[in-house]
């Protein structure tokens, strides 16, 4: 990368907010150019704030991938929604991501109303536009534009990468002048141990479909660097009941082996070396009520 004079550098936070499953993590990964946040078809896959670092020209754009904003019911839900709004309040720029196929749902309506109440403007990012007919898309755009808080509208397919270059250019132009906050070769603030745990959780979500919604979490217990350059990673998948443990393990251990193989393949690609991954499943009924677990994820236990 060409050396950028200090007086030309730009740097700022851009919060990506939206209803659950709008595609925020896919957008973050697409803009950064590598995986920094896990993705699955399940809503509320992202549980805590993840920073993705986009380097473009003289600008360092710090993307804040936030949990989906919805009407919370449990302690974990409340903590995730609080983390999302905290990420938005601290950012210079807000991107509201809307699933164009789903349209203006109740969760998105509530987010718009809260942004209005805070007198915050936002960039509207309409996602999954390839799945919507042009007439419906134009009607949705007009309805959202009438809200009066959007400075720009971008139509993208985060999954396919369509429209991301234009959005990246605008974000890099609009972050304020100032020194970079991270080394230019860094792509995320997420420690490797947590990213590894998140990747395993993603594979568990995908593999288990509707059988075990949100009752599990993953922690990296040990990370051993070996002399041959490989890494041994020991992780625990915590569930809330014995019956859930049986589902995760599967008949003859088939399910846990499948999850482990998928996670190991992705970890080896990300770390660019061999990984020996060992998964254990344990029952911890109250993991969603453990203050230490929230602290580790950077969530407010008392939200």
């Amino acid at each position: 990368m060409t050396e950028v004079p200090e007086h030309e550098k730009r740097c700022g936070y851009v919060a990506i907010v939206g209803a659950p499953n709008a595609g925020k993590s896919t957008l973050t990964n697409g803009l950064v150019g590598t995986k920094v946040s896990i993705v699955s078809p399940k809503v509320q896959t992202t549980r805590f704030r993840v920073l993705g670092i986009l380097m473009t020209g003289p600008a360092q754009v710090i993307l804040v991938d936030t949990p989906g904003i919805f009407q919370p019911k449990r302690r974990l839900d409340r903590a995730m929604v609080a983390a999302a709004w905290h990420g938005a309040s601290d950012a210079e720029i807000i991107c509201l991501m809307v699933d164009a196929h789903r349209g203006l749902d109740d969760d998105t309506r509530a987010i718009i109303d809260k942004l209005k109440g805070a007198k915050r403007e936002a960039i509207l990012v309409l996602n999954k536009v390839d799945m919507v007919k042009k007439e419906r898309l134009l009607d949705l755009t007009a309805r959202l534009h009438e809200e009066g808080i959007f400075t720009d509208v971008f139509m993208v397919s985060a999954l396919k990468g369509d429209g991301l270059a234009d959005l990246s250019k605008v974000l890099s132009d609009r972050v304020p002048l100032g020194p970079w906050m991270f080394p230019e070769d860094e792509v995320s603030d997420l420690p490797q141990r947590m990213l590894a745990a998140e990747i395993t959780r993603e594979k568990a979500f995908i593999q288990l479909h509707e059988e075990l919604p949100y009752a599990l979490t993953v922690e990296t217990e040990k990370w051993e660097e070996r002399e041959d350059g490989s890494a041994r990673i020991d992780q625990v998948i915590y569930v809330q009941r014995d019956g859930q443990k049986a589902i995760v393990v599967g008949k003859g251990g088939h399910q846990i082996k499948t999850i482990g193989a998928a996670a190991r393949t992705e970890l080896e690609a990300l770390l660019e070396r061999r990984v020996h991954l060992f998964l254990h499943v344990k029952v911890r009924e109250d993991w969603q009520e453990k203050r230490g677990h929230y602290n580790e994820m950077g969530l407010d236990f008392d939200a």
Side-chain angles (χ1 to χ4, degrees):
M1 189 172 183
T2 307
E3 187 71 26
V4 178
E6 283 299 319
H7 70 277
E8 292 182 11
K9 288 183 176 179
R10 312 181 79 88
C11 187
Y13 285 85
V14 176
I16 301 173
V17 302
N21 223 9
K24 299 178 294 297
S25 296
T26 304
L27 178 68
T28 301
N29 292 338
L31 288 170
V32 173
T34 190
K35 189 164 194 169
V36 296
S37 194
I38 68 169
V39 178
S40 89
K42 309 291 184 290
V43 299
Q44 289 309 111
T45 301
T46 301
R47 283 182 176 161
F48 52 89
R49 184 223 67 175
V50 177
L51 295 186
I53 302 161
L54 164 65
M55 297 297 305
T56 171
Q60 184 177 79
V61 181
I62 305 168
L63 302 164
V64 186
D65 179 21
T66 63
I69 298 172
F70 65 113
Q71 197 60 42
K73 294 173 183 167
R74 304 166 299 166
R75 182 187 294 277
L76 182 59
D77 296 341
R78 292 194 298 274
M80 289 190 293
V81 172
W85 280 118
H86 182 70
S89 66
D90 287 348
E92 282 92 356
I93 299 170
I94 295 175
C95 288
L96 173 58
M97 198 158 192
V98 176
D99 181 335
H101 187 256
R102 198 158 64 223
L104 184 53
D105 58 13
D106 291 343
D107 289 331
T108 301
R109 170 82 267 164
I111 295 168
I112 291 172
D113 289 344
K114 188 150 184 175
L115 289 173
K116 283 182 178 179
K119 293 183 169 51
R120 291 298 302 265
E121 291 184 324
I123 293 173
L124 174 61
V125 182
L126 283 172
N127 190 30
K128 307 179 188 178
V129 295
D130 52 319
M131 300 171 61
V132 181
K133 289 184 178 179
K134 186 177 179 180
E135 297 78 16
R136 186 179 164 197
L137 191 58
L138 292 174
D139 177 64
L140 175 61
T141 304
R143 287 169 60 204
L144 288 165
H145 186 69
E146 288 172 0
E147 298 294 337
I149 65 168
F150 298 113
T151 59
D152 308 78
V153 178
F154 287 88
M155 298 187 182
V156 309
S157 169
L159 189 61
K160 295 180 178 179
D162 297 341
L164 301 195
D166 291 339
L167 176 59
S168 173
K169 175 70 168 60
V170 166
L171 295 178
S172 64
D173 287 345
R174 291 195 188 166
V175 291
L177 286 167
W180 295 341
M181 299 183 191
F182 294 91
E184 62 183 277
D185 59 349
E186 206 160 304
V187 296
S188 176
D189 71 333
L190 199 63
Q192 282 191 338
R193 292 171 70 98
M194 286 187 70
L195 179 59
E198 284 291 275
I199 285 171
T200 300
R201 185 165 68 89
E202 174 192 72
K203 303 312 175 192
F205 268 36
I206 292 170
Q207 183 65 25
L208 296 168
H209 303 291
E210 301 301 326
E211 294 178 277
L212 198 59
Y214 319 116
L216 64 81
T217 193
V218 181
E219 291 182 9
T220 300
E221 272 201 332
K222 296 178 185 175
W223 186 302
E224 178 191 338
E225 299 288 347
R226 294 189 165 180
E227 290 184 4
D228 62 2
S230 66
R232 173 185 170 127
I233 303 172
D234 287 79
Q235 294 177 333
V236 178
I237 300 175
Y238 287 108
V239 294
Q240 294 174 304
R241 295 189 295 275
D242 286 327
Q244 294 167 346
K245 179 177 178 179
I247 291 171
V248 176
V249 173
K251 188 174 181 180
H254 173 75
Q255 203 70 284
I256 193 74
K257 289 175 186 173
T258 302
I259 293 167
R264 185 178 64 253
T265 298
E266 184 153 328
L267 282 167
E268 288 184 335
L270 275 172
L271 299 173
E272 297 181 334
R273 55 186 167 138
R274 193 173 179 200
V275 170
H276 309 276
L277 180 64
F278 296 87
L279 300 181
H280 315 274
V281 186
K282 296 182 181 179
V283 177
R284 183 188 280 177
E285 293 181 11
D286 59 348
W287 73 259
Q288 291 194 20
E289 298 296 326
K290 289 285 187 183
R291 186 179 292 273
H293 186 70
Y294 286 69
N295 293 341
E296 185 179 303
M297 293 193 293
L299 293 175
D300 182 359
F301 181 80
D302 299 311

